[in-house]
Amino acid sequence: LSNDKVLIARLQESGLPQGQRPIGDFFVISSGAQPETGQLGTEIWINTAVTYDDDESKHQRTINRNHISVVHRTPRLLLVAIRAPGFTYDVLVGHAPNINNQERYTKRTATWWNSLDGILAKRATPKAPMIALMDANAQIAGHTGPGIGPHNQAKGKENASSYYLRRFAAKHNMSLPQTYEENHHGEWPRQAGSSNDGRTWARPAGEGRTTYHRIDYIMVDSTLLNGTSTWTSKYELLRESEDHWAVHGEITMQAPPRGAEARQSTIRCGRGYDKAGTNDTDKIETFKKELRDYEHPAYAVDVHAHQRYIDQYVLYAARKAFPMPRKRGPKADYMSQATW
């Protein structure tokens, strides 16, 4: 994980007690296993050494444990709020119950998914973008809708978990990048036998056969979808047989300027420009060129921040293309009256 510069990772079925601890570059939070059986247990690993800023950024900031708070935890779930400068996100890591034809398992699955609404209501900042890393135990088959595309859908019928997964995505404005061809890039690294079918789990089917399924997902706030890429890899370190593939995601985020940065941005834009210069053809072309160079904020930025960026940039471009003429006052006398 450190070598790959992973910022946030999710592990499941750790079997460890509830708590938090440093491991290498990571700050690890454990939800705790079931006390009666020692089973389950979900963990979130947050890298405190790798920067979340762009390589060209002047900041190069990292997340530390003071930026992290646990909102809710159960043996199958962790909800964590991260409030670092320029990085305000909630991270949900979950392991949904498996489902089969027995009624008690179906009820258990429904109860778990239905409980998420109440848990997410505890968020201190409900409008903060959310990222979910989840073993949903659910395949998407034959359905598209809010946040769900047609890419690599399973054949056959969906189970109850699939229904709850789709409902969760729609209700909480989440998108599944793995279901969009332009976002998902299959198995990596490419090699003989590599798959692009989105598989994340292998199940022995008897007689030496294996069936493959997509049941693990990275889900992102829908405003982050266009900046998200996903792929899978075989990341099992302790098993020789196929089991789960790791699902990787790379998300491009952009935070609106705050504090001193916002004030500097406003000052740089200025408000004065020469309105008479707007009749000058050459200056108009300069203005158009400046507008073409505008870099849009990422979709993580809310619509009000988008508007502020646009307003400020247009003013900046106008000031650069139509500079105000310098005002010159009357010339001072060469010799003062006192000298005479």
Side-chain angles (χ1 to χ4, degrees):
L1 295 178
S2 293
N3 291 340
D4 290 344
K5 296 184 177 181
V6 172
L7 182 62
I8 300 172
R10 163 198 162 274
L11 276 68
Q12 71 182 40
E13 308 214 33
S14 67
L16 296 175
Q18 183 182 116
Q20 49 197 43
R21 61 200 184 279
I23 298 181
D25 292 335
F26 289 85
F27 182 61
V28 180
I29 302 172
S30 176
S31 70
Q34 287 180 332
E36 317 84 45
T37 63
Q39 295 177 337
L40 300 176
T42 301
E43 292 187 344
I44 182 170
W45 289 47
I46 301 175
N47 198 324
T48 59
V50 68
T51 177
Y52 55 83
D53 284 300
D54 185 88
D55 291 340
E56 298 179 0
S57 170
K58 65 180 181 180
H59 294 296
Q60 299 301 301
R61 297 166 293 193
T62 58
I63 299 172
N64 66 56
R65 63 180 63 188
N66 295 323
H67 297 143
I68 305 164
S69 60
V70 177
V71 180
H72 188 88
R73 67 172 107 201
T74 72
R76 288 188 178 273
L77 186 93
L78 263 174
L79 176 59
V80 172
I82 302 176
R83 299 294 184 264
F87 192 100
T88 300
Y89 294 89
D90 291 336
V91 182
L92 176 72
V93 297
H95 180 191
N98 198 356
I99 193 168
N100 56 31
N101 295 326
Q102 297 183 35
E103 184 178 356
R104 64 190 180 95
Y105 287 105
T106 302
K107 287 183 177 179
R108 182 184 65 174
T109 299
T111 299
W112 188 85
W113 283 100
N114 289 334
S115 71
L116 294 182
D117 293 341
I119 292 168
L120 294 180
K122 297 180 179 180
R123 297 199 293 160
T125 312
K127 292 185 179 180
M130 184 168 63
I131 302 166
L133 315 176
M134 190 178 294
D135 177 353
N137 273 312
Q139 295 193 96
I140 302 295
H143 287 279
T144 58
I148 295 178
H151 184 52
N152 285 336
Q153 293 214 6
K155 297 179 181 179
K157 295 182 179 180
E158 294 186 340
N159 62 15
S161 294
S162 307
Y163 161 75
Y164 287 114
L165 173 62
R166 290 189 285 106
R167 192 186 69 169
F168 173 81
K171 186 168 185 177
H172 296 286
N173 193 36
M174 303 292 285
S175 292
L176 284 62
Q178 290 152 264
T179 64
Y180 292 89
E181 185 174 5
E182 59 269 31
N183 296 85
H184 189 66
H185 304 286
E187 187 179 329
W188 193 262
R190 294 274 186 238
Q191 54 190 1
S194 289
S195 167
N196 191 35
D197 64 5
R199 63 181 63 176
T200 68
W201 181 59
R203 181 176 67 178
E207 301 179 358
R209 294 182 299 111
T210 302
T211 59
Y212 298 95
H213 309 272
R214 180 178 62 189
I215 63 173
D216 305 275
Y217 299 90
I218 291 176
M219 292 182 270
V220 299
D221 187 283
S222 293
T223 59
L224 299 173
L225 178 62
N226 284 4
T228 300
S229 297
T230 57
W231 64 97
T232 59
S233 71
K234 295 180 179 178
Y235 223 79
E236 287 284 352
L237 303 179
L238 303 177
R239 299 174 63 109
E240 294 183 1
S241 60
E242 292 181 324
D243 187 36
H244 281 275
W245 276 256
V247 182
H248 305 258
E250 184 174 275
I251 305 173
T252 301
M253 307 170 176
Q254 182 171 332
R258 295 180 180 275
E261 293 179 12
R263 290 193 294 273
Q264 290 171 7
S265 176
T266 302
I267 293 170
R268 282 199 300 271
C269 292
R271 290 197 172 273
Y273 66 93
D274 182 20
K275 293 182 179 179
T278 57
N279 296 318
D280 187 310
T281 304
D282 292 337
K283 291 182 178 180
I284 291 173
E285 288 303 313
T286 301
F287 180 62
K288 290 180 179 179
K289 180 181 180 303
E290 290 295 332
L291 293 181
R292 285 194 293 268
D293 290 340
Y294 174 67
E295 294 184 5
H296 295 275
Y299 283 89
V301 179
D302 64 73
V303 65
H304 303 293
H306 267 281
Q307 186 62 53
R308 289 196 299 272
Y309 285 151
I310 293 171
D311 289 346
Q312 291 177 1
Y313 192 84
V314 170
L315 289 169
Y316 161 80
R319 189 183 187 195
K320 191 170 182 179
F322 313 116
M324 293 288 289
R326 292 185 178 181
K327 294 182 178 180
R328 296 183 179 275
K331 293 183 178 180
D333 293 335
Y334 182 72
M335 299 184 70
S336 68
Q337 294 297 324
T339 303
W340 285 110

